[in-house]
Coordinates of all heavy atoms in Angstrom, one line a residue:
G7 N 260.2 32.2 -19.4 CA 261.4 33.0 -19.8 C 261.5 34.3 -18.9 O 260.6 34.7 -18.3
R19 N 253.2 39.3 -10.5 CA 252.2 38.9 -11.5 C 252.9 38.2 -12.6 O 252.5 37.1 -13.0 CB 251.5 40.1 -12.0 CG 250.5 39.8 -13.1 CD 249.8 41.0 -13.7 NE 250.8 41.9 -14.3 CZ 251.3 41.7 -15.5 NH1 250.9 40.7 -16.2 NH2 252.1 42.6 -16.0
V20 N 254.0 38.8 -13.2 CA 254.7 38.2 -14.3 C 255.3 36.8 -14.0 O 255.2 35.9 -14.8 CB 255.8 39.1 -14.8 CG1 256.6 38.5 -15.9 CG2 255.2 40.4 -15.4
T23 N 254.6 34.6 -8.4 CA 255.3 34.3 -7.1 C 254.4 34.5 -6.0 O 253.6 35.4 -5.9 CB 256.5 35.2 -6.9 OG1 256.1 36.6 -6.9 CG2 257.5 35.1 -8.1
N102 N 258.3 13.4 11.8 CA 258.8 12.2 12.5 C 259.1 12.4 13.9 O 258.8 11.6 14.8 CB 260.0 11.6 11.8 CG 259.6 11.0 10.4 OD1 258.5 10.6 10.2 ND2 260.6 10.8 9.5
H144 N 237.1 4.3 16.0 CA 236.0 3.4 16.3 C 236.5 2.0 16.4 O 237.5 1.7 15.7 CB 234.9 3.6 15.3 CG 234.4 5.0 15.2 ND1 234.2 5.8 16.3 CD2 233.9 5.7 14.1 CE1 233.7 6.9 15.9 NE2 233.5 6.9 14.6
Q150 N 233.3 -8.5 12.1 CA 233.7 -7.6 11.0 C 232.5 -7.0 10.2 O 232.7 -6.6 9.0 CB 234.6 -8.4 10.0 CG 235.9 -9.0 10.6 CD 236.9 -7.9 11.0 OE1 237.5 -7.3 10.1 NE2 237.0 -7.7 12.3
P191 N 244.8 1.4 4.2 CA 244.5 2.8 4.3 C 243.8 3.3 3.1 O 244.0 2.9 2.0 CB 245.9 3.4 4.5 CG 246.8 2.3 5.0 CD 246.2 1.1 4.4
V192 N 242.9 4.3 3.3 CA 242.1 4.9 2.2 C 242.2 6.4 2.3 O 242.0 6.9 3.4 CB 240.7 4.4 2.2 CG1 239.9 5.1 1.2 CG2 240.6 2.9 1.9
D196 N 238.8 14.5 -2.5 CA 237.7 15.3 -2.9 C 236.4 14.5 -2.6 O 235.7 13.9 -3.4 CB 237.8 15.4 -4.5 CG 236.8 16.5 -5.0 OD1 236.0 17.0 -4.2 OD2 236.7 16.7 -6.2
A199 N 233.0 14.9 -4.3 CA 232.8 14.4 -5.7 C 232.7 12.9 -5.7 O 232.5 12.3 -6.8 CB 234.0 14.8 -6.5
S218 N 241.6 7.4 6.3 CA 241.4 6.5 7.4 C 242.3 5.3 7.2 O 242.7 4.9 6.1 CB 239.9 6.0 7.4 OG 239.6 5.4 6.2

Side-chain angles (χ1 to χ4, degrees):
R19 177 184 62 80
V20 172
T23 60
N102 288 339
H144 302 323
Q150 300 292 288
V192 173
D196 190 357
S218 59

